[in-house]
Amino acid sequence: MASANGYRLSGWWRRSFSQMSLFYKFFYGTILIVLSVLLLSSAASYLYTRGIFEKQAAAGAARLVDNINQGFEDNLDQVDRIIMSMYSDAENNNSETSLREVLSPEPFRSLPEQYAANLAMQSFFQRLLNLRSDFNSVYIYVAPDKQFSYSVYGRAKWPYDPTGEDWYRSTEAAAGRTVISAPHLPFQLSYDKKVISFSRVLKGFSSNGNENDGVILIDLSMDALTNIVKKAKLGETTGVVLLNESGRTIYSSDSELDELPPSLISRMSGSPNGSFSAVIAGKRYLLSYSTLTVTGWKSATLTPYTEINQAGNRLLSVYLLLGLAGLALTVFISFLFSKKIFRPIQHLKKGIVQVKQGNFDVQLEQRSQDELGQLVFSFNVMVDTIRKLIVENYEEQLARKNAEFKYLQSQINPHFIFNTLQIVSGMAAVHKVPDIGTVSKSLAKMLRYSINMQTSTVPIRDEIENVICYMDIQKLRFRGFFDYDLDIDEEAYRYTIVKLILQPIVENSVTYGLEGKEQGGRVRISGRLDDGHLRFEVYDNGVGMTPEETKSLMASIVSSEAGPDRPPADGRSAGSGHSVGLRNIHHRIQMIYGPEYGLAIDSAKNEWTRVVIRIPAQEGGETA
């Protein structure tokens, strides 16, 4: 059904295009070309711009990773500076209580000594916390009775023993390296906001410099990480997610991104950096990620495609507006240009119409010297030549043809023949010879049908009745050796057919197919309506043809070469002296209905021959 609709649509388009004037073909063609270029350029620009913004998003993710790396390195450097300042204070003997004494593993000897140590550490902590606004707390553990804690926010937990916690064990196992802990609630404080911790072992305060003297823990507020993210200057809708080594989210700038799907986490774990498209909570993002060199965490930016496409859509709108303006200008210029070019063609067309109507005195004005001007000049010369030929030859030849035609008409008067056949029919009835009456009536009908050439197509019933008359005559001729069958659908009688195409084909079947058969000859004429087309078959059980002979006969039929019909090797002819040849029938069908219609022949030697006629179903009506 779809193919049939497509075929009809294609046929409608071809007919519409063929009926369109050359002016509009050129005009619409120019607009179509410009419109195609505009659409292709706009689409290419949109895709190119979208690619640029995707690259910018990936570059933003790289900047974020660099900023976070640099921020953590700066914090590590500051932790190192703090520890170095502690060593510097420890060597300062001018102070009342040195840090070396405070941080040594030796227990306090008295409460005043402990109080003095606390004051010294409090002074040191205050100096540290004033260095940065995002410092939240500093905690030093040396021994259970030597713990020092100072915080801006939160309240210290007492008693507190860090030696059994993971952060303490990780710090001792780091062998002097600074350990960064992911955002968490403070270990040693009662505080409801997360912090980022930097921890490191302390060495060199006791007599043996290789032994651990304690652990320092510095907590930074989440503002430290937030400021690092802000420095990357990402889009307003771009989200940032930090994942630890196990893939758990340790920081998220948007609550919707707190829990990433496991498939995305698994995909990111396969490489240190990259980018791909991801769908989270029904929203599509461009996910770009990289690995932090300082911590081994994954830093990921998730930019909604709505943000990426927004700038591209704005640019596309600008392109479309410019394209529409260009298209309007193209329409205006194309119309003027086409009108200028095709005005001489319209002028020439009017001259051709006048010549078609019989006015051979027309002479067109040659307004240019280009190809169109030369065409007008050639037209004027042609019309002048035709006019001279008409005067010199055409009228003379026409008079001669008219005289010959009248002479031939006088030779055979149809009315005389009809009257004679009626006399023969009457005599057959008087003498009781019905066969003669049948032949005379059938012949009279065939003659009347043949000479009435007012139309090229007739109702199918008329054509079938003419075939029946012919077959009745042949049955009398081949008495007892020949018969025929008719199998025509009643629905087919609603349509018309080219006049005098069935009888010549039947005549070929009888003359060249059945005359060589001594008995049992039969011709079958069938007609069917097949998918909007009429299909007629003339089948005989005569002498048949070989495949080579059939192919040669079809080549002769479809050939456009003019001339008398030439029979193939077995003597089968395309027609007889009193009928239209198969080639002429084939070409008449194609001239009236189109090149896709006509005759087709297949045969089997000494068995049968079938001629198939295919024409479109065109309604006409039945005759009485």
Side-chain angles (χ1 to χ4, degrees), residues 20-25 338-354 364-365 367 372 375-376 379:
M20 192 182 298
S21 67
L22 192 60
F23 170 82
Y24 285 107
K25 287 179 182 178
S338 301
K339 193 172 182 181
K340 181 70 174 178
I341 290 179
F342 290 100
R343 184 180 291 125
I345 297 179
Q346 295 291 336
H347 187 55
L348 181 61
K349 178 183 175 182
K350 292 179 180 178
I352 293 174
V353 170
Q354 293 185 32
L364 303 179
E365 179 183 357
R367 300 178 179 178
L372 291 175
L375 188 60
V376 171
F379 172 80

Side-chain angles (χ1 to χ4, degrees), residues 108-331:
F108 294 116
R109 291 184 294 272
S110 64
L111 287 177
E113 182 181 355
Q114 182 178 1
Y115 179 73
N118 287 331
L119 290 178
M121 291 304 301
Q122 185 175 5
S123 176
F124 174 73
F125 288 160
Q126 286 179 341
R127 290 200 308 272
L128 295 182
L129 294 177
N130 289 331
L131 295 177
R132 289 178 53 166
S133 61
D134 55 2
F135 271 16
N136 185 74
S137 64
V138 180
Y139 170 76
I140 295 178
Y141 176 86
V142 177
D145 59 344
K146 276 193 175 183
Q147 299 184 50
F148 306 97
S149 178
Y150 190 86
S151 63
V152 179
Y153 301 102
R155 181 170 51 85
K157 298 176 182 178
W158 298 111
Y160 178 67
D161 184 9
T163 57
E165 297 193 13
D166 291 338
W167 74 266
Y168 187 89
R169 288 195 294 267
S170 299
T171 304
E172 282 194 326
R177 291 182 291 106
T178 302
V179 177
I180 303 175
S181 299
H184 60 90
L185 293 177
F187 300 124
Q188 82 288 2
L189 298 176
S190 295
Y191 185 51
D192 59 355
K193 293 184 178 180
K194 291 184 177 182
V195 296
I196 301 175
S197 299
F198 295 79
S199 57
R200 185 171 175 179
V201 296
L202 297 175
K203 294 182 180 182
F205 291 95
S206 63
S207 58
N208 189 351
N210 294 324
E211 293 184 358
N212 293 342
D213 294 326
V215 173
I216 182 171
L217 175 71
I218 300 175
D219 290 342
L220 300 181
S221 68
M222 293 301 293
D223 292 340
L225 185 57
T226 303
N227 292 332
I228 292 174
V229 172
K230 287 182 179 180
K231 289 180 181 179
K233 296 180 180 180
L234 303 176
E236 295 181 359
T237 59
T238 299
V240 178
V241 176
L242 289 180
L243 305 174
N244 62 12
E245 294 88 340
S246 62
R248 186 173 62 85
T249 301
I250 57 178
Y251 171 79
S252 172
S253 63
D254 189 342
S255 59
E256 292 183 357
L257 305 175
D258 286 344
E259 294 295 333
L260 296 181
S263 59
L264 299 183
I265 298 175
S266 175
R267 188 170 180 180
M268 284 190 289
S269 64
S271 60
N273 54 64
S275 63
F276 55 87
S277 177
V279 177
I280 303 173
K283 194 172 182 180
R284 189 161 174 257
Y285 295 88
L286 175 65
L287 191 153
S288 299
Y289 66 94
S290 188
T291 304
L292 301 177
T293 57
V294 176
T295 62
W297 301 343
K298 295 286 186 184
S299 169
T301 60
L302 293 99
T303 306
Y305 269 92
T306 53
E307 178 182 336
I308 295 175
N309 295 335
Q310 187 176 9
N313 292 336
R314 287 197 298 266
L315 186 60
L316 181 61
S317 300
V318 173
Y319 283 144
L320 290 177
L321 290 176
L322 293 176
L324 290 175
L327 183 61
L329 182 62
T330 301
V331 170

Side-chain angles (χ1 to χ4, degrees), residues 13-122:
W13 166 249
R14 287 195 299 268
R15 288 192 300 272
S16 300
F17 186 77
S18 62
Q19 294 171 2
M20 192 182 298
S21 67
L22 192 60
F23 170 82
Y24 285 107
K25 287 179 182 178
F26 182 83
F27 177 63
Y28 291 141
T30 303
I31 294 176
L32 183 62
I33 292 173
V34 174
L35 183 61
S36 300
V37 172
L38 289 175
L39 291 176
L40 290 175
S41 61
S42 298
S45 300
Y46 173 76
L47 295 176
Y48 177 74
T49 305
R50 177 173 170 174
I52 290 178
F53 282 101
E54 288 184 357
K55 290 180 180 179
Q56 289 179 350
R63 288 198 305 272
L64 176 64
V65 171
D66 291 340
N67 288 346
I68 295 176
N69 274 327
Q70 186 62 44
F72 281 126
E73 288 177 357
D74 292 343
N75 286 311
L76 289 176
D77 183 64
Q78 288 200 3
V79 170
D80 292 339
R81 291 176 181 272
I82 289 171
I83 295 175
M84 293 302 297
S85 66
M86 293 174 66
Y87 286 113
S88 176
D89 288 350
E91 299 298 331
N92 185 5
N93 296 323
N94 297 325
S95 61
E96 192 172 316
T97 303
S98 69
L99 289 182
R100 180 179 293 276
E101 296 176 356
V102 172
L103 299 177
S104 67
E106 299 295 330
F108 294 116
R109 291 184 294 272
S110 64
L111 287 177
E113 182 181 355
Q114 182 178 1
Y115 179 73
N118 287 331
L119 290 178
M121 291 304 301
Q122 185 175 5

